[in-house]
């Protein structure tokens, strides 16, 4: 998925983190003192990092009507699109749908 969405040369760091870790980073970088499901950090045009908290993702999956596994795939794609510079909105939603379909993750 990474190679298809970001390209072969893109250097991506990826980690699953605890609720307390993601809350710390969310507070530090977004000034939101609460845990979240995913954070993405762009370091350069060809380098970035994604952090996912499985516990929060599992809770949010119910809200979005997805299984936890499908929701994890969705937020991974969502985060990669952020690394490409996309912002929330209809264009991003179209790209998410395109990649979910391509990877048969709908």
């Amino acid at each position: 998925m990474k190679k298809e969405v970001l390209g072969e040369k893109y250097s991506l760091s990826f980690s699953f983190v605890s609720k307390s870790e993601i809350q710390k980073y969310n507070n530090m970088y977004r000034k939101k003192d609460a845990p979240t499901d995913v954070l993405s950090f762009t370091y350069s045009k060809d380098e970035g990092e994604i952090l996912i908290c499985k516990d929060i993702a599992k809770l949010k999956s119910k809200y979005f009507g997805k299984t936890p596994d499908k929701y994890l795939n969705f937020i991974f794609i969502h985060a990669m699109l952020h690394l490409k510079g996309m912002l929330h909105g209809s264009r991003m939603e179209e790209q998410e749908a395109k990649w979910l379909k391509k990877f048969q993750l709908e």
Side-chain angles (χ1 to χ4, degrees), residues 7 10-11 19 31 36 38 44 61 65 71 73 75 98:
Y10 196 94
S11 177
K19 285 194 274 188
K31 306 297 183 227
T36 189
V38 62
S44 71
S61 69
Y71 188 72
N73 285 312
I75 61 175
K98 173 187 123 177

Side-chain angles (χ1 to χ4, degrees), residues 2 14-15 17 20 25 46 58-59 61 69-70 74 103:
K2 174 260 170 197
F14 172 84
S15 296
V17 297
S20 61
Y25 292 119
D46 295 316
K58 186 175 181 179
L59 292 172
S61 69
D69 286 344
K70 284 189 178 193
F74 167 75
F103 298 125

Side-chain angles (χ1 to χ4, degrees), residues 25-67:
Y25 292 119
N26 201 24
N27 190 26
M28 188 183 309
Y29 295 104
R30 299 178 65 225
K31 306 297 183 227
K32 295 184 178 191
D33 192 19
T36 189
D37 53 352
V38 62
L39 292 171
S40 58
F41 301 95
T42 302
Y43 300 129
S44 71
K45 179 180 166 243
D46 295 316
E47 185 179 11
E49 181 174 17
I50 295 172
L51 304 176
I52 290 179
C53 177
K54 283 183 171 182
D55 293 332
I56 300 299
K58 186 175 181 179
L59 292 172
K60 284 194 169 183
S61 69
K62 295 172 189 168
Y63 175 79
F64 287 96
K66 296 181 182 290
T67 66

